Amino acid sequence: MAAVPPAATATRAERALGPRTPIMFKRLLWLSIGIGFGFGLSFWLVRLVKEKVARYAPDQVSADLAGAVKDLGATVKAALADGAAAMREREAELRDSLNERPSSGR
């Protein structure tokens, strides 16, 4: 098996610019980009997790639950009041129609 000369295995950048210096620069560039991206992503994830933990903390959940129960009570009271008003109105209509009907003479 014949040995491959180093010039044949070199990349175009290595042949144009000389030995290993540009390759190391590219590697350092991408390493620093990766480190920066990882660092920024870790801060973003920490902030996201802290927000979720604060949202589901027991005191926050109990405050949200208390507000929901109060709103539910107000909604039920309003629905009952509307139902009672509609019932009185319908009852008045029925009584009026009963009073307007001619008597059968029995």
Side-chain angles (χ1 to χ4, degrees):
M1 193 186 294
V4 179
T9 60
T11 62
R12 198 176 330 158
E14 286 176 335
R15 279 181 271 166
L17 298 174
R20 310 244 6 124
T21 305
I23 299 300
M24 289 304 286
F25 179 72
K26 283 170 90 175
R27 288 180 182 169
L28 285 174
L29 174 70
W30 286 110
L31 177 68
S32 61
I33 289 172
I35 289 171
F37 183 73
F39 193 66
L41 184 64
S42 68
F43 272 111
W44 179 75
L45 282 174
V46 166
R47 190 190 68 181
L48 183 74
V49 167
K50 283 183 180 179
E51 287 175 0
K52 296 295 180 187
V53 167
R55 182 176 177 187
Y56 293 109
D59 54 337
Q60 182 64 33
V61 171
S62 64
D64 290 345
L65 185 61
V69 168
K70 286 179 185 175
D71 290 344
L72 178 66
T75 303
V76 169
K77 285 180 186 177
L80 288 174
D82 287 345
M87 181 182 68
R88 284 190 293 272
E89 182 180 317
R90 180 65 178 148
E91 184 179 358
E93 289 174 6
L94 291 173
R95 288 187 188 274
D96 288 343
S97 69
L98 187 63
N99 289 340
E100 291 174 3
R101 188 184 311 170
S103 58
S104 60
R106 288 188 191 183

